[in-house]
Amino acid sequence: MADRDTEERILDAAHAVFLQRGTAGARMQEVADEAGVNKALLHYYFRSKDQLAQAVFRRALGELLPQAMEILRSEAEIESKVRGIVELEVEILRRNPFLPGYLLGELTHHPERVHEIFESVVGMKLGRLGHEVRSTIAGQLEAEAEAGRMRELPVEDFLMNLVSLAIFPFAARPLLQLMLDVDEDGFDALMGARKERLPEFFLNALRP
Amino acid sequence: MADRDTEERILDAAHAVFLQRGTAGARMQEVADEAGVNKALLHYYFRSKDQLAQAVFRRALGELLPQAMEILRSEAEIESKVRGIVELEVEILRRNPFLPGYLLGELTHHPERVHEIFESVVGMKLGRLGHEVRSTIAGQLEAEAEAGRMRELPVEDFLMNLVSLAIFPFAARPLLQLMLDVDEDGFDALMGARKERLPEFFLNALRP
DNA sequence: GTCTATATTGTGATAGAC
DNA sequence: GTCTATCACAATATAGAC
C-alpha cells in the first residue's frame, strides 16, 4: 500500500471514474473514494485534476490504438489484417463498455489534447506512423486490385470503414440496446455473434 | 428580443456551447454570453442547468434520429434506403462537427436520459418503432435473399453496419485528421468524396 | 421579461501534523 | 507517504429592483 503501488491504485480508480463520467463530470472525491485514499493524495501524485485526466486519456487511448496500429502496418495480408482488427477491437470493447464513448467524447471536447498525447502513446511521430500505415496498405490494395482479387478502394476508405464497423456499435450501445430491445447480456451476445460475420461482410465489400 | 424569441436564442446558444464542451463541461455563464442575455434568464426559462441540458440533448438527438427512422421504416427499396441514409447522415454531420461526439459522449455518461427522451424525439414508443423498423427491413432482406439478389444478413447487422459506416468517421474526426494528415477542409473534402463511394461499398458487401 | 447583486453550495487545491 | 482541516474560488441558483 505504498509508493508505486498507491499511484497505480489511484490511476486505476481514476480510469474507472473518468471513463464513466467523462473528464469534466468526474470528481476528485469520487476517485479518492474509489481508490480508498484521501483526496490530498491524488494531488500528491498527479499534481492537478488536469494532469490526472491526461494520464487517464493517455492510458485509454493506449488500450486501443497501439495494437491496432501494429496490425495495420505489419506485413500480414489484407485479409489477415481485417480479421485481426475485428478480433482485437471487438474483444477489447466488449470488456470496456465506457471506453469508446469516453474517447469520442474527449476527442470532440478536448481535441487539442490529442496531438501531444498521440505520440507518447504510439511512440512515434503521428504523421510518420499514419503515412507508414497508409502507404503499406495502399500498396497491398493496389496489388490485390491488379491481381483482380479486390476492387479498387482508396486507403482512407479502407481504414475508416474497417474501424467504423468494428468500433461504432459499442460507442452507440445505450441507444442500440433500446432500439434492438436487448439488455447488457443480449447486447454482448449480439456483438459476439456479429464478430464472426464482420470480416466476411467487409471482405465481401472488397470483392471485384 | 422577447418571450418566445428569447427562449429560442437561449436554446440556440446552449446548443452551441453544450455540443462543444459537453454537458458537464458547459458553463451557464458561457451560454448566457453566447445568447447575449443574463445568466438569471437561463433559469427563468429553463429552471436549472439539468433541464436546459435535457432540452439540448433532445434537440441534438432530434437532428439525427427521426429522419433516419423515417427512411428506414418507409416502403422504399433496400438500395434506396442505403443511399438515403448515407446522404442524410453525411450531409447533416458535415455541417455539425460536434454532434456525433457530443451524442456518443452523453450516451455513455448519461445513459439513463435516453429512455425518456427517445420517445419525445421520435414521437413513438421506442420498443415499437425499433420493432417496426426491424421487421420491415427483415422482410425486405429476406425477399432479396430468396430472389438471389443479396446474401443473407441479420437485420441487426444491416442496421448497425450501415449507421456505423455513415457516422463513425465524423465522431473520430480529430483523430482521423491527424492520422490522415488533413485539415478541416481536407477532411470535409474527403467525406464528400467518400459519400459517393459508400453506398457502392455497402451494397457490394450485400451481394451474394 | 430582464437585469444586478447575492446567497449557497460544490470542488480543486494546499498547509501542516503525523 | 498519508492524513485532517481548510482555503479560495468557481458555478448554480435565487431575491428583488426595475
Side-chain angles (χ1 to χ4, degrees):
Chain A
M1 33 258 290
D3 220 12
R4 198 83 207 162
D5 189 38
T6 302
E7 182 170 350
E8 216 172 298
R9 279 227 318 287
I10 291 174
L11 190 55
D12 285 346
H15 188 88
V17 173
F18 278 65
L19 261 70
Q20 184 164 2
R21 306 243 186 262
T23 295
R27 297 292 162 246
M28 296 296 269
Q29 184 61 58
E30 195 179 351
V31 174
D33 293 345
E34 178 84 15
V37 300
N38 192 278
K39 238 189 347 173
L41 263 200
L42 310 194
H43 289 90
Y44 175 81
Y45 281 106
F46 292 92
R47 189 76 189 169
S48 71
K49 180 185 179 182
D50 190 72
Q51 289 195 37
L52 181 54
Q54 290 204 33
V56 169
F57 184 68
R58 188 177 301 117
R59 197 204 219 206
L61 204 60
E63 290 190 65
L64 242 275
L65 217 55
Q67 300 181 71
M69 286 304 199
E70 196 49 47
I71 291 176
L72 289 173
R73 77 170 174 154
S74 74
E75 289 301 321
E77 288 177 15
I78 288 285
E79 181 177 330
S80 160
K81 289 186 179 181
V82 171
R83 297 187 188 281
I85 289 291
V86 169
E87 174 70 27
L88 172 75
E89 313 253 299
V90 170
E91 281 314 309
I92 290 178
L93 297 181
R94 279 175 85 177
R95 287 193 226 95
N96 296 277
F98 300 111
L99 185 56
Y102 162 80
L103 282 176
L104 295 173
E106 296 298 314
L107 279 177
T108 75
H109 302 321
H110 309 286
E112 73 286 353
R113 278 191 180 159
V114 186
H115 193 278
E116 30 168 346
I117 286 182
F118 192 110
E119 203 171 316
S120 78
V121 164
V122 297
M124 196 170 171
K125 286 266 182 232
L126 43 85
R128 178 124 177 282
L129 178 56
H131 185 270
E132 203 171 290
V133 166
R134 270 176 290 149
S135 62
T136 302
I137 294 187
Q140 293 181 299
L141 289 177
E142 207 171 316
E144 295 291 319
E146 267 181 44
R149 286 191 297 270
M150 291 183 182
R151 65 199 194 89
E152 284 187 41
L153 190 76
V155 214
E156 291 83 3
D157 280 27
F158 177 90
L159 293 170
M160 287 193 285
N161 294 355
L162 181 55
V163 300
S164 295
L165 289 166
I167 297 177
F168 184 86
F170 293 96
R173 194 178 57 138
L175 200 56
L176 287 175
Q177 282 193 14
L178 288 179
M179 293 190 41
L180 301 181
D181 193 31
V182 291
D183 60 9
E184 312 272 309
D185 291 339
F187 184 81
D188 185 64
L190 202 58
M191 289 300 114
R194 192 180 92 110
K195 184 182 78 172
E196 307 302 324
R197 295 187 292 263
L198 202 45
E200 313 308 327
F201 178 89
F202 190 83
L203 291 168
N204 208 46
L206 298 179
R207 280 189 316 165
Chain B
M1 33 277 272
D3 220 11
R4 198 80 208 164
D5 189 37
T6 303
E7 183 171 347
E8 217 173 295
R9 278 228 317 287
I10 291 175
L11 190 55
D12 285 345
H15 188 87
V17 173
F18 278 64
L19 261 70
Q20 183 163 4
R21 306 244 186 259
T23 295
R27 297 292 160 245
M28 296 295 268
Q29 184 61 58
E30 193 179 352
V31 174
D33 293 345
E34 178 84 14
V37 300
N38 191 278
K39 243 193 334 177
L41 264 199
L42 310 194
H43 289 90
Y44 175 80
Y45 282 105
F46 292 91
R47 188 76 188 169
S48 70
K49 180 184 178 182
D50 190 71
Q51 290 196 38
L52 181 55
Q54 290 204 35
V56 169
F57 183 67
R58 189 177 300 119
R59 194 203 221 207
L61 204 59
E63 290 190 67
L64 241 283
L65 217 54
Q67 300 181 70
M69 285 304 197
E70 197 50 46
I71 291 177
L72 289 174
R73 76 169 175 153
S74 74
E75 289 301 322
E77 289 177 15
I78 287 286
E79 180 176 332
S80 160
K81 289 185 180 182
V82 171
R83 296 186 189 283
I85 289 291
V86 169
E87 174 70 27
L88 172 74
E89 313 255 296
V90 171
E91 280 314 310
I92 289 177
L93 297 181
R94 279 174 85 178
R95 289 193 224 94
N96 296 278
F98 299 111
L99 185 56
Y102 162 80
L103 282 176
L104 295 172
E106 295 299 314
L107 279 177
T108 76
H109 302 321
H110 308 286
E112 74 285 354
R113 280 190 179 160
V114 187
H115 194 277
E116 30 168 346
I117 286 182
F118 192 110
E119 206 171 316
S120 77
V121 164
V122 298
M124 197 170 170
K125 286 265 184 231
L126 42 83
R128 178 125 178 283
L129 178 55
H131 185 270
E132 204 171 289
V133 166
R134 269 176 291 149
S135 61
T136 301
I137 294 185
Q140 292 182 300
L141 289 176
E142 208 171 314
E144 294 291 319
E146 267 182 43
R149 286 192 297 269
M150 290 183 183
R151 65 199 196 91
E152 283 187 43
L153 190 75
V155 212
E156 292 82 4
D157 280 28
F158 176 90
L159 292 170
M160 287 192 286
N161 294 354
L162 181 56
V163 300
S164 294
L165 289 165
I167 298 177
F168 184 85
F170 292 98
R173 192 178 58 140
L175 200 56
L176 287 175
Q177 281 193 15
L178 288 178
M179 292 190 42
L180 301 180
D181 194 31
V182 291
D183 60 11
E184 312 272 307
D185 291 339
F187 184 81
D188 186 65
L190 202 58
M191 289 300 113
R194 191 179 94 109
K195 184 183 75 171
E196 308 301 325
R197 294 187 293 263
L198 203 44
E200 313 308 328
F201 177 89
F202 189 82
L203 291 169
N204 208 47
L206 297 179
R207 279 189 317 166

